Amino acid sequence: MTTQPGRDWLDLSSPPQPPPERPEASSPSRVGPARSRLPPGVLSLSAGLAQVRAGAARAGSQAAGHLQPVLAAAAGPLRRVAPAWQGAAERVGAHPLAARAAGAARRAGALPWGRALLLAGLGGASLAALFLVWCAATLPPLSGSRPSPRTLTIQAEDGTPVARRDVVRGQPLPLDAVSPAMRQAFLAAQDPWFEDGYRLDAAGVAAVIGRAFRDTISDGPRSGGPRLTQRLVRRDLIGAAPGQPRSLADRVREAMLVLWLSVRESDARILARALDLARFGPGLTGIDAAARALFNKAAVSLDTPEAAYLAGLTLAPGLQPDRDVNAARALGHAVLDGMVMRGTLGATEAGQAGRALDGLSPVGTTPVTRSGFPDLVLAEAAGRLGPGWPREAVLRTTLDRDLQAMAETAVERRLDAAGRGGARAGFLALGPDGGVQAVVAGGASLVDTPEARRAASASLRHLGRDGRPVYDRLVAGPMPAAERRTALLGLLAGLARPPESTDDPSSRDGLFIGPVGDLLVGTYLSGAAAENGAGDGPEALFQDFSAQVAKARPAPPVSEAREGARETGSTTRPASRPAWQNPGERPTATPALRGVPRVIDTGRLRLDGQSVRLAGVEGQGGTLAREFRQYLRRREVTCQPAGGADLYRCRAGDQDLSEVVLFNGAGRAAPGAPPDLQAAEASAKARKAGVWQ
């Protein structure tokens, strides 16, 4: 028997094995023994699961039967909209970009890990979309927040109000209810290019989004959107202060709101909304509230100087309108310059408005409010008011209205005598407990320092919250003389600060400190025409106040009068040189050395052949040493040992020479110097005297 060519031969000795049977193709007879080997519990569990599946299937069929009419009714509108969606999908799919995107997705899916990366990208896009939806759902209202109205009244010792601090928001006003001068001044301050045309195209949208992610708002010409709208959204709607860190959500919300307002509202409506939400000082929101509170008139009646003053306040909302008057006037002049630049105000009209602005002050502005004393007392009382600000609070202080009137009269007389040509005068009187009983600020307000806080705490007598007393201290203990003197020096250093706009190097301060009865009084006079160059102006101011007090109050005993005359006396000085001022007087100690010294430098003397080093002073040579020598003018000096081999506290008459040197900036305080010497150095620093120029 022959075989066909090309075929494999079979091995007859080992017949072919049949293929192994698949488990699912096994006969019941073969499966039965395996099942019989399972435990009875497993068999019962399998049967129970099968019954559950069958019941779920029957329930699903019944539910589908009940829901079929509802689903059919809901699918009706979808069927009508489906052609439109289908057409839109076809148009999108036919776009070349869609084809490229689909091709890129297929290629990415074919790469190793491509599907994972593609899914991760789709997940990130979904999260981004959800984030945008959440930002849109949490946008702040376009009307802004409405704070609860609050009123805080600061009273004098007799209960007379001397200042008010209100939290109030005005009523929304249409644009024609605001004077044209106010509208133009506000635009000159916030966005001089607001009325220029712009296009919100793709580049403009990108510019708006980019500016929303910047921390500063540019003042230059805009591109893509108005700066006023961005300031309105960021500062007034979202509430982000300049320089305050912002979250990613706030940046996205800002971009959304700017685009929404730019598309949906006109420039006039945006300007009206910005005027209604602008801040004109702490607690004062809206042009309606600002016009009525500061100038007691409606917004439609504001003239150009008043509009410039208010618009300047919007540039620095932290300024207190009745305290920071000089700073607000300076900003108002900048607003007038912006109005001239925009062409809405002529040069002649701007000059007239500037002269009127120099004499303009809000209603209720007094020397007390300009001193900053009410705000210091309010800051000190904030902790005692408890959590949450009250609707109405009353703070009574130690301010004596009679002494205050005398101080204001004396200051006005000295300014008139100086010709008011850039001269500034101030006055401060502390009671026995360190409380402020009279204060006049001629140039700057009190600085919030530890000394000022202590004086404010001593000045607080009564605090009421919503008609209930919270704090009462009718009687306070006396403050040590050295501590009260140090506090007065520190407070005077704040009052004598020159305004930021003052750059006249010939301006020179003069200070004088002395007692008037149980009061410790400090005065200062500043200006190029400030008198004789010998500190006589501040001393004359002091003597004027002392004379008024002596006339209005009973005279002290003869012994006290002699002591006061001795302490307030001053040495006659020639008018041909810049004077060194006496920071105050002290009782003379028992001398250890006495004689006429020879000046080595401002910290060392040669007395009876012995080297004497002034305690607490690091001396200077040169011009300052020559001025120190001229100040002493062969006067007799008494020196008391101060702990070191050559360390002394020396006095010329009643003046402590260490304090005189530091007070006039002729030296620096040595490490570990006493507090009174450190206070004298701080006063020289504040006045930029001597080495601190």
Side-chain angles (χ1 to χ4, degrees):
M1 179 176 179
T2 61
T3 60
Q4 296 181 2
R7 290 186 60 185
D8 293 336
W9 283 44
L10 300 178
D11 188 1
L12 300 179
S13 62
S14 57
Q17 299 292 331
E21 296 182 358
R22 299 173 60 186
E24 59 272 14
S26 303
S27 61
S29 61
R30 297 183 63 181
V31 175
R35 261 188 197 174
S36 63
R37 290 193 296 269
L38 293 176
V42 176
L43 293 176
S44 61
L45 179 61
S46 301
L49 291 176
Q51 292 177 2
V52 170
R53 285 196 296 269
R58 288 193 298 272
S61 300
Q62 294 175 1
H66 290 297
L67 292 176
Q68 183 176 2
V70 178
L71 295 176
L78 295 178
R79 293 193 192 98
R80 291 192 294 269
V81 179
W85 282 102
Q86 185 177 3
E90 290 177 355
R91 288 192 296 271
V92 171
H95 197 276
L97 292 178
R100 294 180 183 178
R106 286 194 299 271
R107 288 192 296 273
L111 296 174
W113 301 96
R115 292 185 179 180
L117 294 176
L118 186 60
L119 291 176
L122 292 175
S126 302
L127 291 177
L130 290 175
F131 176 71
L132 292 177
V133 171
W134 175 74
C135 290
T138 56
L139 288 174
L142 294 180
S143 59
S145 60
R146 280 205 166 269
S148 301
R150 300 192 299 266
T151 300
L152 299 103
T153 305
I154 297 91
Q155 298 178 343
E157 190 175 18
D158 59 356
T160 304
V162 294
R164 288 172 62 95
R165 295 292 178 259
D166 297 327
V167 176
V168 61
R169 176 177 170 181
Q171 297 297 324
L173 297 178
L175 198 58
D176 55 2
V178 181
S179 68
M182 185 66 231
R183 297 199 298 263
Q184 297 301 329
F186 188 73
L187 288 178
Q190 296 292 327
D191 188 0
W193 297 274
F194 178 74
E195 295 175 342
D196 293 351
Y198 68 95
R199 295 182 58 187
L200 202 62
D201 51 10
V205 172
V208 168
I209 296 175
R211 286 202 307 270
F213 280 82
R214 297 194 189 103
D215 292 330
T216 58
I217 301 177
S218 173
D219 291 327
R222 68 168 183 258
S223 60
R227 300 292 194 273
L228 179 62
T229 309
Q230 188 179 10
R231 289 190 173 97
L232 165 66
V233 171
R234 180 179 298 185
R235 300 178 184 176
D236 301 329
L237 296 181
I238 296 178
Q244 179 182 350
R246 296 178 296 143
S247 63
L248 176 62
D250 284 341
R251 299 171 192 265
V252 174
R253 293 189 189 102
E254 178 182 329
M256 288 180 174
L257 285 174
V258 170
L259 292 173
W260 173 269
L261 291 174
S262 300
V263 171
R264 299 298 298 269
E265 293 194 349
S266 63
D267 288 350
R269 181 68 188 116
I270 293 175
L271 176 58
R273 193 183 295 277
L275 284 167
D276 289 335
L277 296 178
R279 292 176 174 84
F280 296 88
L284 198 57
T285 304
I287 184 60
D288 176 58
R292 297 186 184 278
L294 300 184
F295 297 112
N296 198 21
K297 59 172 57 177
V300 73
S301 304
L302 294 171
D303 56 19
T304 301
E306 295 166 343
Y309 192 96
L310 293 177
L313 288 174
T314 64
L315 296 174
L319 296 179
Q320 196 68 254
D322 62 351
R323 180 192 66 195
D324 306 309
V325 179
N326 290 335
R329 289 172 179 170
L331 292 175
H333 282 286
V335 171
L336 292 177
D337 294 340
M339 296 175 70
V340 173
M341 181 197 71
R342 296 185 74 244
T344 58
L345 189 68
T348 303
E349 293 83 358
Q352 296 174 354
R355 288 187 290 272
L357 180 62
D358 289 334
L360 182 65
S361 297
V363 175
T365 301
T366 64
V368 176
T369 62
R370 296 187 65 168
S371 70
F373 171 68
D375 301 286
L376 279 175
V377 178
L378 182 58
E380 186 62 27
R384 295 186 173 96
L385 288 173
W389 283 93
R391 291 190 58 186
E392 185 175 359
V394 177
L395 291 80
R396 187 171 298 179
T397 67
T398 58
L399 196 75
D400 190 314
R401 293 184 63 240
D402 294 334
L403 294 177
Q404 179 68 27
M406 297 177 193
E408 293 176 8
T409 301
V411 168
E412 289 298 319
R413 288 173 181 169
R414 295 319 305 166
L415 289 178
D416 290 338
R420 296 184 180 269
R424 299 179 296 113
F427 182 97
L428 186 66
L430 298 185
D433 62 345
V436 176
Q437 295 198 3
V439 58
V440 177
S445 58
L446 291 169
V447 185
D448 192 354
T449 60
E451 293 81 9
R453 283 297 183 104
R454 284 195 293 270
S457 179
S459 303
L460 182 60
R461 282 292 184 264
H462 174 80
L463 176 61
R465 174 191 173 102
D466 295 329
R468 296 179 291 104
V470 176
Y471 174 77
D472 231 329
R473 190 182 69 168
L474 299 180
V475 178
M479 178 181 289
E483 185 177 345
R484 185 168 63 149
R485 179 185 178 82
T486 301
L488 185 64
L489 280 171
L491 292 170
L492 275 179
L495 285 178
R497 286 180 302 124
E500 296 181 358
S501 59
T502 300
D503 55 358
D504 184 6
S506 64
S507 177
R508 184 176 178 85
D509 291 345
L511 286 86
F512 189 89
I513 298 176
V516 177
D518 59 353
L519 301 176
L520 185 62
V521 176
T523 63
Y524 83 87
L525 189 67
S526 172
E531 325 258 344
N532 302 331
D536 296 338
E539 185 174 350
L541 176 56
F542 173 86
Q543 297 294 349
D544 190 343
F545 176 78
S546 301
Q548 294 186 66
V549 173
K551 184 177 180 180
R553 296 184 174 182
V558 178
S559 59
E560 293 184 12
R562 289 177 179 175
E563 182 67 16
R566 184 186 66 80
E567 290 186 353
T568 57
S570 60
T571 305
T572 305
R573 306 176 184 89
S576 59
R577 64 176 180 85
W580 283 40
Q581 300 108 34
N582 295 330
E585 294 76 26
R586 291 182 175 275
T588 305
T590 303
L593 294 176
R594 181 187 296 270
V596 178
R598 182 168 60 88
V599 174
I600 301 175
D601 57 31
T602 59
R604 291 183 300 161
L605 305 175
R606 179 75 63 179
L607 186 59
D608 291 337
Q610 181 178 346
S611 177
V612 174
R613 187 158 51 94
L614 298 181
V617 176
E618 293 181 352
Q620 303 288 324
T623 304
L624 295 174
R626 290 193 295 271
E627 289 184 0
F628 188 31
R629 180 180 179 182
Q630 188 178 7
Y631 171 79
L632 291 177
R633 293 193 315 279
R634 300 186 59 80
R635 295 163 63 184
E636 187 178 62
V637 171
T638 59
C639 298
Q640 182 74 18
D646 59 347
L647 200 62
Y648 288 82
R649 292 296 291 265
C650 298
R651 285 178 169 78
D654 292 327
Q655 297 298 319
D656 188 315
L657 293 185
S658 297
E659 194 171 3
V660 168
V661 169
L662 296 176
F663 190 80
N664 289 274
R668 290 180 169 84
D676 55 343
L677 298 185
Q678 294 180 8
E681 182 187 49
S683 177
K685 286 183 181 179
R687 294 179 287 109
K688 298 182 180 179
V691 297
W692 308 110
Q693 291 181 357

